[in-house]
Amino acid sequence: MMIEDINAWLPFYGAWVVVCTLLSVVIARHKGIKPLLPAAAGFVAAFIPIVGLIYLVVLGTRPAK
């Protein structure tokens, strides 16, 4: 029963990781930051969805360079 539940959520989870990574790159470029480090951090943070969301909010509220 548990394996079926995980398999049902796997596509959404994978999509969240991709979206969080891409949003990190877009926000970093918009803020004038080199996008490699924020993209890596966004990718890692996305594996725990609430951490990924918090990271995107923090990255988005940083002042632009």
Side-chain angles (χ1 to χ4, degrees):
M1 182 83 153
M2 186 67 155
I3 298 298
E4 290 84 14
D5 294 338
I6 293 171
N7 287 337
W9 283 98
L10 198 58
F12 299 109
Y13 192 64
W16 168 249
V17 171
V18 171
V19 166
C20 191
T21 303
L22 291 177
L23 279 174
S24 298
V25 170
V26 169
I27 291 170
R29 288 182 133 195
H30 182 70
K31 298 283 184 174
I33 305 168
K34 292 182 181 178
L36 183 62
L37 186 60
F43 179 77
V44 171
F47 284 97
I48 301 173
I50 191 69
V51 175
L53 186 61
I54 291 169
Y55 175 73
L56 288 174
V57 169
V58 168
L59 184 62
T61 57
R62 288 183 61 177
K65 286 188 175 184

